[in-house]
Amino acid sequence: GPDGDISDLCIRTNMEDLARYALICQSEGLMPIVEPDIVLAGDYDLETAVGVNTRVQAHLYKAMIDHGVWMEGSTLKPNMVNPGKACATTYTCDDIGEATIATLRRVMPSAMPGVNFLSGGQSLENAAARLNAVNKAKGNSPWNLSFSWSQALQLPLLELCKKNPKGS
């Protein structure tokens, strides 16, 4: 919900579906890219976002293990841990980075090779600064941390094309 409230049934159902998807991919010789995405709509704070992301990812990894997914042969593509867009509190990039790493450390199996973060509706500037903060906060965590930002990379170009439709 808009205040960060999400039912256990919703989490379980969606994470079971993602685990089944991952298993189907692997059974067909493909590496699954698993995307547990938390929307930014709402006014929830960073602490609530950490709690929701922790719950969602914990359910996901349990479901993947229960379904027999080979963890080393899958990639996680989550959002960074961000507060809701309508949150009254402003957080620094370092706050976001530390919250994201804290969430991963709590629940992500070390067998998972890496994380490719979604830009999740963030601007290119915010997403890049926050990814930098996440990597600074990483410390000795075992994962490769990168990005998969089609939206953040494409939106500035689309805006440029709108301003200059003939390319001159």
Side-chain angles (χ1 to χ4, degrees):
D3 57 0
D5 185 30
I6 183 170
S7 74
D8 284 334
L9 177 61
C10 180
I11 292 172
R12 263 194 328 274
T13 301
N14 283 287
M15 296 310 103
E16 289 283 332
D17 287 348
L18 281 176
R20 282 190 288 275
Y21 154 78
L23 187 60
I24 291 167
C25 287
Q26 287 181 345
S27 72
E28 297 298 320
L30 302 170
M31 183 195 73
I33 300 172
V34 184
E35 295 187 38
D37 187 21
I38 309 299
V39 297
L40 294 175
D43 62 357
Y44 56 89
D45 62 17
L46 190 58
E47 293 75 21
T48 301
V50 167
V52 169
N53 279 274
T54 298
R55 285 174 50 214
V56 166
Q57 290 183 31
H59 278 283
L60 173 63
Y61 304 130
K62 180 177 182 334
M64 289 173 73
I65 290 167
D66 288 350
H67 282 75
V69 173
W70 182 50
M71 303 301 274
E72 294 88 338
S74 57
T75 295
L76 180 67
K77 190 176 167 185
N79 51 272
M80 292 178 202
V81 178
N82 283 299
K85 283 194 172 190
C87 180
T89 305
T90 301
Y91 296 94
T92 67
C93 290
D94 288 340
D95 294 335
I96 304 285
E98 290 167 13
T100 300
I101 291 298
T103 299
L104 293 176
R105 284 187 181 140
R106 287 177 186 159
V107 295
M108 187 170 175
S110 60
M112 295 285 289
V115 176
N116 291 294
F117 291 104
L118 297 162
S119 56
Q122 302 174 80
S123 70
L124 179 57
E125 295 80 17
N126 281 343
R130 290 170 178 171
L131 179 63
N132 184 52
V134 167
N135 274 292
K136 284 192 318 189
K138 175 184 171 185
N140 65 355
S141 299
W143 316 286
N144 177 50
L145 304 177
S146 191
F147 65 91
S148 178
W149 295 348
S150 59
Q151 184 179 15
L153 293 173
Q154 292 171 357
L155 286 180
L157 295 173
L158 292 173
E159 291 299 318
L160 182 62
C161 289
K162 285 181 187 175
K163 291 178 186 172
N164 190 4
K166 294 184 182 186
S168 56

PDB file of all heavy atoms in Angstrom, residues 48-71:
ATOM      1  N   THR A  48      10.775   1.875   6.885  1.00  0.00           N
ATOM      2  CA  THR A  48       9.692   1.014   6.389  1.00  0.00           C
ATOM      3  C   THR A  48      10.130   0.308   5.119  1.00  0.00           C
ATOM      4  O   THR A  48       9.872  -0.893   4.935  1.00  0.00           O
ATOM      5  CB  THR A  48       8.421   1.847   6.148  1.00  0.00           C
ATOM      6  OG1 THR A  48       8.031   2.471   7.374  1.00  0.00           O
ATOM      7  CG2 THR A  48       7.289   0.990   5.618  1.00  0.00           C
ATOM      8  N   ALA A  49      10.820   1.031   4.244  1.00  0.00           N
ATOM      9  CA  ALA A  49      11.305   0.424   2.998  1.00  0.00           C
ATOM     10  C   ALA A  49      12.275  -0.716   3.279  1.00  0.00           C
ATOM     11  O   ALA A  49      12.225  -1.750   2.607  1.00  0.00           O
ATOM     12  CB  ALA A  49      11.970   1.494   2.123  1.00  0.00           C
ATOM     13  N   VAL A  50      13.140  -0.545   4.261  1.00  0.00           N
ATOM     14  CA  VAL A  50      14.063  -1.629   4.643  1.00  0.00           C
ATOM     15  C   VAL A  50      13.263  -2.844   5.093  1.00  0.00           C
ATOM     16  O   VAL A  50      13.528  -3.974   4.675  1.00  0.00           O
ATOM     17  CB  VAL A  50      15.044  -1.171   5.750  1.00  0.00           C
ATOM     18  CG1 VAL A  50      15.775  -2.363   6.361  1.00  0.00           C
ATOM     19  CG2 VAL A  50      16.032  -0.159   5.202  1.00  0.00           C
ATOM     20  N   GLY A  51      12.254  -2.622   5.939  1.00  0.00           N
ATOM     21  CA  GLY A  51      11.439  -3.730   6.429  1.00  0.00           C
ATOM     22  C   GLY A  51      10.711  -4.458   5.318  1.00  0.00           C
ATOM     23  O   GLY A  51      10.698  -5.695   5.276  1.00  0.00           O
ATOM     24  N   VAL A  52      10.097  -3.712   4.401  1.00  0.00           N
ATOM     25  CA  VAL A  52       9.353  -4.327   3.298  1.00  0.00           C
ATOM     26  C   VAL A  52      10.307  -5.083   2.375  1.00  0.00           C
ATOM     27  O   VAL A  52      10.047  -6.230   2.000  1.00  0.00           O
ATOM     28  CB  VAL A  52       8.541  -3.269   2.516  1.00  0.00           C
ATOM     29  CG1 VAL A  52       7.979  -3.847   1.224  1.00  0.00           C
ATOM     30  CG2 VAL A  52       7.421  -2.713   3.388  1.00  0.00           C
ATOM     31  N   ASN A  53      11.418  -4.457   1.996  1.00  0.00           N
ATOM     32  CA  ASN A  53      12.378  -5.127   1.116  1.00  0.00           C
ATOM     33  C   ASN A  53      12.959  -6.373   1.772  1.00  0.00           C
ATOM     34  O   ASN A  53      13.155  -7.392   1.109  1.00  0.00           O
ATOM     35  CB  ASN A  53      13.493  -4.156   0.703  1.00  0.00           C
ATOM     36  CG  ASN A  53      13.075  -3.259  -0.431  1.00  0.00           C
ATOM     37  OD1 ASN A  53      13.190  -3.621  -1.595  1.00  0.00           O
ATOM     38  ND2 ASN A  53      12.563  -2.071  -0.095  1.00  0.00           N
ATOM     39  N   THR A  54      13.219  -6.317   3.059  1.00  0.00           N
ATOM     40  CA  THR A  54      13.739  -7.487   3.775  1.00  0.00           C
ATOM     41  C   THR A  54      12.725  -8.623   3.738  1.00  0.00           C
ATOM     42  O   THR A  54      13.080  -9.768   3.440  1.00  0.00           O
ATOM     43  CB  THR A  54      14.094  -7.111   5.230  1.00  0.00           C
ATOM     44  OG1 THR A  54      15.122  -6.112   5.208  1.00  0.00           O
ATOM     45  CG2 THR A  54      14.571  -8.317   6.017  1.00  0.00           C
ATOM     46  N   ARG A  55      11.460  -8.316   4.020  1.00  0.00           N
ATOM     47  CA  ARG A  55      10.422  -9.340   3.991  1.00  0.00           C
ATOM     48  C   ARG A  55      10.270  -9.945   2.602  1.00  0.00           C
ATOM     49  O   ARG A  55      10.208 -11.172   2.436  1.00  0.00           O
ATOM     50  CB  ARG A  55       9.074  -8.768   4.433  1.00  0.00           C
ATOM     51  CG  ARG A  55       8.974  -8.534   5.916  1.00  0.00           C
ATOM     52  CD  ARG A  55       7.684  -7.836   6.338  1.00  0.00           C
ATOM     53  NE  ARG A  55       6.491  -8.453   5.806  1.00  0.00           N
ATOM     54  CZ  ARG A  55       5.400  -7.764   5.452  1.00  0.00           C
ATOM     55  NH1 ARG A  55       5.354  -6.453   5.560  1.00  0.00           N
ATOM     56  NH2 ARG A  55       4.350  -8.392   4.991  1.00  0.00           N
ATOM     57  N   VAL A  56      10.226  -9.100   1.582  1.00  0.00           N
ATOM     58  CA  VAL A  56      10.033  -9.573   0.217  1.00  0.00           C
ATOM     59  C   VAL A  56      11.208 -10.451  -0.205  1.00  0.00           C
ATOM     60  O   VAL A  56      11.020 -11.559  -0.725  1.00  0.00           O
ATOM     61  CB  VAL A  56       9.847  -8.375  -0.748  1.00  0.00           C
ATOM     62  CG1 VAL A  56       9.995  -8.804  -2.191  1.00  0.00           C
ATOM     63  CG2 VAL A  56       8.486  -7.722  -0.513  1.00  0.00           C
ATOM     64  N   GLN A  57      12.421  -9.980  -0.006  1.00  0.00           N
ATOM     65  CA  GLN A  57      13.580 -10.755  -0.445  1.00  0.00           C
ATOM     66  C   GLN A  57      13.747 -12.039   0.367  1.00  0.00           C
ATOM     67  O   GLN A  57      14.116 -13.081  -0.187  1.00  0.00           O
ATOM     68  CB  GLN A  57      14.842  -9.896  -0.411  1.00  0.00           C
ATOM     69  CG  GLN A  57      14.816  -8.839  -1.495  1.00  0.00           C
ATOM     70  CD  GLN A  57      16.086  -8.017  -1.550  1.00  0.00           C
ATOM     71  OE1 GLN A  57      17.159  -8.503  -1.233  1.00  0.00           O
ATOM     72  NE2 GLN A  57      15.965  -6.763  -1.949  1.00  0.00           N
ATOM     73  N   ALA A  58      13.455 -12.020   1.652  1.00  0.00           N
ATOM     74  CA  ALA A  58      13.534 -13.240   2.457  1.00  0.00           C
ATOM     75  C   ALA A  58      12.569 -14.298   1.924  1.00  0.00           C
ATOM     76  O   ALA A  58      12.923 -15.476   1.789  1.00  0.00           O
ATOM     77  CB  ALA A  58      13.243 -12.936   3.926  1.00  0.00           C
ATOM     78  N   HIS A  59      11.341 -13.884   1.612  1.00  0.00           N
ATOM     79  CA  HIS A  59      10.367 -14.818   1.038  1.00  0.00           C
ATOM     80  C   HIS A  59      10.851 -15.336  -0.318  1.00  0.00           C
ATOM     81  O   HIS A  59      10.676 -16.511  -0.642  1.00  0.00           O
ATOM     82  CB  HIS A  59       8.996 -14.152   0.875  1.00  0.00           C
ATOM     83  CG  HIS A  59       8.166 -14.126   2.112  1.00  0.00           C
ATOM     84  ND1 HIS A  59       7.490 -15.223   2.597  1.00  0.00           N
ATOM     85  CD2 HIS A  59       7.888 -13.120   2.975  1.00  0.00           C
ATOM     86  CE1 HIS A  59       6.842 -14.906   3.699  1.00  0.00           C
ATOM     87  NE2 HIS A  59       7.065 -13.627   3.951  1.00  0.00           N
ATOM     88  N   LEU A  60      11.442 -14.449  -1.120  1.00  0.00           N
ATOM     89  CA  LEU A  60      11.923 -14.853  -2.435  1.00  0.00           C
ATOM     90  C   LEU A  60      12.994 -15.930  -2.327  1.00  0.00           C
ATOM     91  O   LEU A  60      12.911 -16.967  -2.990  1.00  0.00           O
ATOM     92  CB  LEU A  60      12.476 -13.647  -3.197  1.00  0.00           C
ATOM     93  CG  LEU A  60      13.170 -13.969  -4.523  1.00  0.00           C
ATOM     94  CD1 LEU A  60      12.194 -14.596  -5.511  1.00  0.00           C
ATOM     95  CD2 LEU A  60      13.814 -12.719  -5.102  1.00  0.00           C
ATOM     96  N   TYR A  61      14.003 -15.709  -1.512  1.00  0.00           N
ATOM     97  CA  TYR A  61      15.101 -16.677  -1.427  1.00  0.00           C
ATOM     98  C   TYR A  61      14.623 -18.002  -0.854  1.00  0.00           C
ATOM     99  O   TYR A  61      15.034 -19.056  -1.318  1.00  0.00           O
ATOM    100  CB  TYR A  61      16.261 -16.121  -0.603  1.00  0.00           C
ATOM    101  CG  TYR A  61      16.761 -14.812  -1.155  1.00  0.00           C
ATOM    102  CD1 TYR A  61      16.937 -13.718  -0.340  1.00  0.00           C
ATOM    103  CD2 TYR A  61      17.014 -14.655  -2.518  1.00  0.00           C
ATOM    104  CE1 TYR A  61      17.379 -12.508  -0.849  1.00  0.00           C
ATOM    105  CE2 TYR A  61      17.441 -13.457  -3.039  1.00  0.00           C
ATOM    106  CZ  TYR A  61      17.622 -12.380  -2.194  1.00  0.00           C
ATOM    107  OH  TYR A  61      18.036 -11.181  -2.711  1.00  0.00           O
ATOM    108  N   LYS A  62      13.731 -17.947   0.129  1.00  0.00           N
ATOM    109  CA  LYS A  62      13.192 -19.196   0.677  1.00  0.00           C
ATOM    110  C   LYS A  62      12.433 -19.948  -0.410  1.00  0.00           C
ATOM    111  O   LYS A  62      12.609 -21.161  -0.576  1.00  0.00           O
ATOM    112  CB  LYS A  62      12.282 -18.934   1.864  1.00  0.00           C
ATOM    113  CG  LYS A  62      11.721 -20.240   2.442  1.00  0.00           C
ATOM    114  CD  LYS A  62      10.876 -20.026   3.651  1.00  0.00           C
ATOM    115  CE  LYS A  62      10.346 -21.302   4.256  1.00  0.00           C
ATOM    116  NZ  LYS A  62      10.173 -22.467   3.442  1.00  0.00           N
ATOM    117  N   ALA A  63      11.600 -19.236  -1.172  1.00  0.00           N
ATOM    118  CA  ALA A  63      10.827 -19.885  -2.244  1.00  0.00           C
ATOM    119  C   ALA A  63      11.760 -20.456  -3.308  1.00  0.00           C
ATOM    120  O   ALA A  63      11.533 -21.564  -3.807  1.00  0.00           O
ATOM    121  CB  ALA A  63       9.842 -18.896  -2.861  1.00  0.00           C
ATOM    122  N   MET A  64      12.808 -19.728  -3.656  1.00  0.00           N
ATOM    123  CA  MET A  64      13.747 -20.229  -4.663  1.00  0.00           C
ATOM    124  C   MET A  64      14.429 -21.509  -4.174  1.00  0.00           C
ATOM    125  O   MET A  64      14.540 -22.482  -4.926  1.00  0.00           O
ATOM    126  CB  MET A  64      14.784 -19.155  -5.009  1.00  0.00           C
ATOM    127  CG  MET A  64      14.202 -17.996  -5.809  1.00  0.00           C
ATOM    128  SD  MET A  64      15.356 -16.620  -6.068  1.00  0.00           S
ATOM    129  CE  MET A  64      16.473 -17.355  -7.297  1.00  0.00           C
ATOM    130  N   ILE A  65      14.857 -21.515  -2.929  1.00  0.00           N
ATOM    131  CA  ILE A  65      15.504 -22.709  -2.368  1.00  0.00           C
ATOM    132  C   ILE A  65      14.504 -23.857  -2.274  1.00  0.00           C
ATOM    133  O   ILE A  65      14.801 -24.993  -2.665  1.00  0.00           O
ATOM    134  CB  ILE A  65      16.137 -22.382  -1.004  1.00  0.00           C
ATOM    135  CG1 ILE A  65      17.347 -21.455  -1.221  1.00  0.00           C
ATOM    136  CG2 ILE A  65      16.542 -23.652  -0.259  1.00  0.00           C
ATOM    137  CD1 ILE A  65      17.882 -20.812   0.040  1.00  0.00           C
ATOM    138  N   ASP A  66      13.293 -23.573  -1.791  1.00  0.00           N
ATOM    139  CA  ASP A  66      12.263 -24.611  -1.673  1.00  0.00           C
ATOM    140  C   ASP A  66      11.915 -25.234  -3.030  1.00  0.00           C
ATOM    141  O   ASP A  66      11.597 -26.410  -3.112  1.00  0.00           O
ATOM    142  CB  ASP A  66      10.982 -24.048  -1.040  1.00  0.00           C
ATOM    143  CG  ASP A  66      11.130 -23.759   0.448  1.00  0.00           C
ATOM    144  OD1 ASP A  66      12.161 -24.167   1.055  1.00  0.00           O
ATOM    145  OD2 ASP A  66      10.231 -23.104   1.006  1.00  0.00           O
ATOM    146  N   HIS A  67      11.979 -24.445  -4.103  1.00  0.00           N
ATOM    147  CA  HIS A  67      11.658 -24.951  -5.444  1.00  0.00           C
ATOM    148  C   HIS A  67      12.859 -25.607  -6.126  1.00  0.00           C
ATOM    149  O   HIS A  67      12.733 -26.125  -7.231  1.00  0.00           O
ATOM    150  CB  HIS A  67      11.110 -23.825  -6.324  1.00  0.00           C
ATOM    151  CG  HIS A  67       9.684 -23.496  -6.045  1.00  0.00           C
ATOM    152  ND1 HIS A  67       9.276 -22.794  -4.932  1.00  0.00           N
ATOM    153  CD2 HIS A  67       8.553 -23.778  -6.728  1.00  0.00           C
ATOM    154  CE1 HIS A  67       7.973 -22.661  -4.947  1.00  0.00           C
ATOM    155  NE2 HIS A  67       7.501 -23.252  -6.030  1.00  0.00           N
ATOM    156  N   GLY A  68      14.015 -25.553  -5.492  1.00  0.00           N
ATOM    157  CA  GLY A  68      15.191 -26.196  -6.069  1.00  0.00           C
ATOM    158  C   GLY A  68      15.928 -25.358  -7.100  1.00  0.00           C
ATOM    159  O   GLY A  68      16.654 -25.897  -7.941  1.00  0.00           O
ATOM    160  N   VAL A  69      15.768 -24.045  -7.041  1.00  0.00           N
ATOM    161  CA  VAL A  69      16.483 -23.162  -7.961  1.00  0.00           C
ATOM    162  C   VAL A  69      17.962 -23.175  -7.598  1.00  0.00           C
ATOM    163  O   VAL A  69      18.327 -23.100  -6.421  1.00  0.00           O
ATOM    164  CB  VAL A  69      15.915 -21.725  -7.893  1.00  0.00           C
ATOM    165  CG1 VAL A  69      16.761 -20.755  -8.706  1.00  0.00           C
ATOM    166  CG2 VAL A  69      14.462 -21.701  -8.346  1.00  0.00           C
ATOM    167  N   TRP A  70      18.814 -23.287  -8.595  1.00  0.00           N
ATOM    168  CA  TRP A  70      20.253 -23.224  -8.391  1.00  0.00           C
ATOM    169  C   TRP A  70      20.607 -21.753  -8.228  1.00  0.00           C
ATOM    170  O   TRP A  70      20.598 -20.983  -9.183  1.00  0.00           O
ATOM    171  CB  TRP A  70      20.985 -23.870  -9.572  1.00  0.00           C
ATOM    172  CG  TRP A  70      22.462 -23.905  -9.437  1.00  0.00           C
ATOM    173  CD1 TRP A  70      23.177 -24.343  -8.363  1.00  0.00           C
ATOM    174  CD2 TRP A  70      23.423 -23.497 -10.415  1.00  0.00           C
ATOM    175  NE1 TRP A  70      24.528 -24.231  -8.606  1.00  0.00           N
ATOM    176  CE2 TRP A  70      24.708 -23.709  -9.862  1.00  0.00           C
ATOM    177  CE3 TRP A  70      23.314 -22.969 -11.696  1.00  0.00           C
ATOM    178  CZ2 TRP A  70      25.872 -23.415 -10.547  1.00  0.00           C
ATOM    179  CZ3 TRP A  70      24.479 -22.684 -12.382  1.00  0.00           C
ATOM    180  CH2 TRP A  70      25.745 -22.912 -11.811  1.00  0.00           C
ATOM    181  N   MET A  71      20.885 -21.346  -6.989  1.00  0.00           N
ATOM    182  CA  MET A  71      21.081 -19.943  -6.664  1.00  0.00           C
ATOM    183  C   MET A  71      22.263 -19.334  -7.418  1.00  0.00           C
ATOM    184  O   MET A  71      22.201 -18.192  -7.861  1.00  0.00           O
ATOM    185  CB  MET A  71      21.264 -19.767  -5.153  1.00  0.00           C
ATOM    186  CG  MET A  71      20.100 -20.309  -4.328  1.00  0.00           C
ATOM    187  SD  MET A  71      18.529 -19.532  -4.719  1.00  0.00           S
ATOM    188  CE  MET A  71      18.620 -18.120  -3.649  1.00  0.00           C
TER     189      MET A  71
END
